[in-house]
Amino acid sequence: AQKVTQAQTEISVVEKEDVTLDCVYETRDTTYYLFWYKQPPSGELVFLIRRNSFDEQNEISGRYSWNFQKSTSSFNFTITASQVVDSAVYFCALSEAQTGANNLFFGTGTRLTVIP
Amino acid sequence: GAGVSQSPRYKVAKRGQDVALRCDPISGHVSLFWYQQALGQGPEFLTYFQNEAQLDKSGLPSDRFFAERPEGSVSTLKIQRTQQEDSAVYLCASSLVYSGESYNEQFFGPGTRLTVL
C-alpha cells in the first residue's frame, strides 16, 4: 500500500499566484516524520522541511508554509506569490521512526510549473 | 562545505553488463542510503548503511544488486547483468546520525542516471 499519496501529478500556475500541493500519508506508527523535498531540473533533491508527528504547529518560512493535520493524515505545502524559480517537482515523504533505519517513503511527486 | 557526490553522473550500459556506481557521502556522516528513482516516480529505498554495516537491504529488487561500504565512508552500488528495467536515477543520501528521538536530515547527491540499452 502506498504510504504517501500526492494526488496532483502536475500543476500550472501563473507567476504570483498562490499554490497548494497536497500530501496524504498512511502509517501505523505513533512516531513518524514528514518531509517535503524539491527536485529542480538539475535532479538533486533539496530538503525543505521536516515535521515530527508530535508537532502539529503549522510553519511558515518566507513564501513557504506547511499545514500538518493528523486528523486527516495530511501535510500540505503552500507557496505564496509563486515565482518561476519555484518550478520543480515536489516530493512529500514519510519516515517511520520505528523502522530504525529512517529510510524515506516518497510520494510520486507533483510537478509545478510557474508560468511567467 | 562539500555535499554528497556521486559518480558517474551518467552511465550507459548494454544489457547484460555489470555497472558500479559510487557515492561519496558528506564527511563524518554515519548513515548512508541508496534510492532508485524511475522516470516520473518518487525515489524508492534500496538499502541502508550505518558506518560499514549494511543494516537494511530490503529494498534491493533482486540478487543482481549489491552494495558495500567497506570503510564506512564511500559506498558502491553494483548491478550485475543489467536489464532494461534497471534504467533509473540512483540517488545516494547521507545523514549525520540517528539517535533516539532526534532525527537528522538526509542530504542527497545529484544521482547517477543509468540507461540500459
Side-chain angles (χ1 to χ4, degrees), chain B residues 17-87:
Chain B
Q17 279 186 332
D18 298 348
V19 298
L21 312 180
R22 177 188 169 107
C23 172
D24 284 81
I26 294 172
S27 178
H29 277 196
V30 169
S31 297
L32 186 146
F33 303 79
W34 283 99
Y35 293 85
Q36 179 190 59
Q37 186 176 16
L39 188 64
Q41 300 296 313
E44 292 191 358
F45 170 77
L46 293 177
T47 187
Y48 161 66
F49 290 86
Q50 188 162 321
N51 295 307
E52 68 278 4
Q54 189 175 21
L55 299 186
D56 187 347
K57 53 181 180 179
S58 62
L60 295 176
S62 77
D63 58 8
R64 296 185 296 103
F65 286 71
F66 171 77
E68 60 183 5
R69 193 186 185 199
E71 296 179 0
S73 56
V74 171
S75 177
T76 303
L77 176 66
K78 298 179 179 178
I79 309 173
Q80 297 176 325
R81 305 181 302 282
T82 52
Q83 303 294 315
Q84 284 189 326
E85 61 263 28
D86 300 334
S87 295

Side-chain angles (χ1 to χ4, degrees), chain A residues 33 37 39 50 101-102 104, chain B residues 33 35 37 98 101 105-106:
Chain A
Y33 299 85
Y37 280 86
Q39 189 172 46
R50 178 192 79 232
N102 295 327
L104 297 170
Chain B
F33 303 79
Y35 293 85
Q37 186 176 16
Y98 171 72
E101 293 301 312
E105 283 75 31
Q106 293 184 27

Side-chain angles (χ1 to χ4, degrees), chain A residues 11-114:
Chain A
I11 299 176
S12 292
V13 298
V14 176
E15 199 172 20
K16 298 184 183 178
E17 286 185 345
D18 299 348
V19 58
T20 296
L21 309 182
D22 298 334
C23 174
V24 174
Y25 63 92
E26 179 182 338
T27 180
R28 294 182 179 181
D29 284 8
T30 55
T31 301
Y32 53 89
Y33 299 85
L34 295 164
F35 303 79
W36 277 95
Y37 280 86
K38 175 182 180 179
Q39 189 172 46
S42 62
E44 193 160 340
L45 281 165
V46 178
F47 167 81
L48 296 178
I49 190 172
R50 178 192 79 232
R51 304 297 286 176
N52 73 53
S53 53
F54 299 108
D55 183 1
E56 285 192 74
Q57 279 193 346
N58 292 329
E59 182 159 337
I60 297 175
S61 176
R63 295 185 298 108
Y64 295 170
S65 62
W66 291 270
N67 184 341
F68 176 27
Q69 292 195 347
K70 288 178 74 171
S71 61
T72 56
S73 297
S74 65
F75 185 45
N76 296 338
F77 172 32
T78 297
I79 302 174
T80 304
S82 59
Q83 299 177 2
V84 173
V85 294
D86 297 328
S87 296
V89 181
Y90 290 85
F91 290 97
C92 180
L94 165 73
S95 175
E96 295 172 321
Q98 300 307 318
T99 68
N102 295 327
N103 49 291
L104 297 170
F105 297 95
F106 286 86
T108 51
T110 298
R111 180 178 298 278
L112 173 65
T113 302
V114 181

